[in-house]
Amino acid sequence: MKPTHIEHIGIAVEDLDSAIEYYENVIGLKCYAIEEVRDQKVKTAFFKVGDTKIELLESTDTEGPVSKFIDKRGPGLHHIAFAVADVNAALNEAQKKGIRVIDREGRDGAEGFQIGFLHPKSTMGVLTEFCSE
Ligand code: CMX
């Protein structure tokens, strides 16, 4: 597994509209897509910065991972996502190296990507995602 770049940085927010306003008016980025990802119980907003994206995450369900995260830790940096050629191979390889995976194989994420997560307790506190097109 060799990631090509940081595909996106996920940021948990309480209110998508006001977060979009901040990234547009203060940081100067343009939101180019808003998408609900039912499987992940989130509504997302995307901004491009070079090869990397900022993904804002607003929870759509009080039992969803982002809602739980905000309840426990407050809004803020949620995860880092590495672009890889094959998400299943990357998850497999991490697992073989003794890393605890959340997903054994890729699932559907935003923008048509296949995504899979490594558990933050196994990755020095950083929820880590692999994604492939
Ligand atoms: N980053 C770092 N640590 C995190 C974390 C995060 N994003 N989310 C939870 N944790 C911590 C918790 O605070 C907890 O730590 P403590 O025990 O020290 O308090 C620990 O991880 C484990 O928590 P848990 O109770 O076992 O599990 P949770 O129910 O909180 O779930 C997690 C945590 C990571 C397994 C779950 O959020 C998950 O499966 N995430 C993957 C899916 C996801 O996050 N989807 C949203 C984004 C989707 C997208 O990008 O489209």
Side-chain angles (χ1 to χ4, degrees):
M1 157 200 6
K2 182 151 170 47
T4 51
H5 58 287
I6 293 174
E7 209 288 325
H8 66 263
I9 294 168
I11 298 173
V13 303
E14 282 171 332
D15 179 66
L16 203 59
D17 291 338
S18 54
I20 290 172
E21 202 177 304
Y22 165 76
Y23 279 93
E24 291 197 330
N25 295 338
V26 179
I27 304 296
L29 301 175
K30 178 88 193 111
C31 175
Y32 70 88
I34 293 179
E35 181 183 344
E36 184 170 345
V37 185
R38 283 175 197 276
D39 190 39
Q40 297 289 337
K41 301 182 169 69
V42 288
K43 197 164 147 196
T44 63
F46 283 97
F47 305 79
K48 283 192 182 124
V49 200
D51 285 342
T52 301
K53 298 163 189 162
I54 299 288
E55 178 189 37
L56 302 181
L57 302 154
E58 180 193 81
S59 184
T60 55
D61 186 324
T62 51
E63 289 306 306
V66 169
S67 187
K68 283 186 177 173
F69 174 86
I70 288 177
D71 286 349
K72 246 185 193 171
R73 301 171 159 232
L77 280 180
H78 184 260
H79 65 269
I80 183 166
F82 293 101
V84 294
D86 180 342
V87 69
N88 290 330
L91 290 168
N92 226 337
E93 197 178 323
Q95 205 174 4
K96 277 192 191 143
K97 289 177 177 164
I99 303 295
R100 179 173 160 198
V101 297
I102 292 170
D103 302 300
R104 283 177 193 280
E105 53 184 41
R107 346 186 224 161
D108 294 336
E111 301 194 303
F113 279 78
Q114 282 292 295
I115 63 171
F117 288 89
L118 307 181
H119 199 285
K121 287 290 172 196
S122 199
T123 57
M124 291 152 287
V126 179
L127 176 60
T128 301
E129 177 182 341
F130 293 128
C131 53
S132 54
E133 289 189 67

